[in-house]
Amino acid sequence: MSTGHHAPDCAFCEVAAGTRPARVVAATADTLTFLPLDPVHPGHVLVVPRRHVADIWDLDEATAAAVGTAVLGAAHAVRAVHRPEGLNVIQSSGAVATQSVFHLHVHVVPRYTGDRMPRLWPEAAETDADRLEDSARRLRAALATPRNPALQHESLQHE
């Protein structure tokens, strides 16, 4: 549920507040769907929560459900209007992951053969089976434990 909380100097909070123009294509009580300033091509939209949520780790389950529903709606609309060959749904959290606006947003990007989007995944590389097993074991344990927002970030760092 939207709390109406907005962060100062946040472009997407300004869009949500109606103080910054945007090409809004859908709006709910909790989300907005609009065209980015520099879309990859027509049909590329952003889905954002109306309240300020910095990244995926700041996201509560109710807002996540609202954003997910809006993303699904956007995906179907993009397919109906633009008939892409494929679709990317991209959410980046943190500067190292290419997040440039620190208000959670999900890109819904129609894809076409030979379009200008770069390759998203690296070439295959050798993996260390022991490290993968350790990661799987630790992730299973973390997922079996109720989330604790006070959990130390350092304990989740990879080795």
Side-chain angles (χ1 to χ4, degrees):
M1 180 183 293
S2 180
T3 63
H5 173 69
H6 294 247
D9 302 319
C10 173
F12 293 166
C13 284
E14 291 173 1
V15 170
T19 58
R20 179 181 288 239
R23 291 182 174 94
V24 176
V25 298
T28 70
D30 299 312
T31 66
L32 284 175
T33 302
F34 57 93
L35 276 61
L37 291 176
D38 186 24
V40 173
H41 34 249
H44 175 187
V45 296
L46 301 177
V47 176
V48 305
R50 284 185 181 267
R51 74 174 184 83
H52 187 75
V53 174
D55 55 34
I56 199 163
W57 297 293
D58 193 29
L59 187 61
D60 63 83
E61 289 185 13
T63 305
V67 169
T69 297
V71 166
L72 182 59
H76 284 288
V78 166
R79 186 180 202 190
V81 172
H82 293 285
R83 297 290 178 201
E85 297 169 52
L87 187 82
N88 281 123
V89 176
I90 304 165
Q91 192 287 309
S92 301
S93 286
V96 73
T98 71
Q99 184 179 11
S100 59
V101 176
F102 293 89
H103 181 122
L104 181 118
H105 54 287
V106 179
H107 293 262
V108 178
V109 185
R111 295 299 307 270
Y112 306 92
T113 301
D115 67 20
R116 67 185 190 106
M117 282 289 289
R119 180 177 171 84
L120 297 178
W121 298 104
E123 297 299 323
E126 276 199 44
T127 57
D128 179 331
D130 290 337
R131 285 187 71 196
L132 292 178
E133 276 304 315
D134 179 60
S135 174
R137 178 188 55 76
R138 292 169 51 204
L139 288 167
R140 281 191 293 272
L143 287 166
T145 304
R147 277 188 295 162
N148 178 354
L151 190 62
Q152 292 295 319
H153 177 69
E154 290 77 25
S155 70
L156 300 177
Q157 294 290 322
H158 66 280
E159 297 173 352

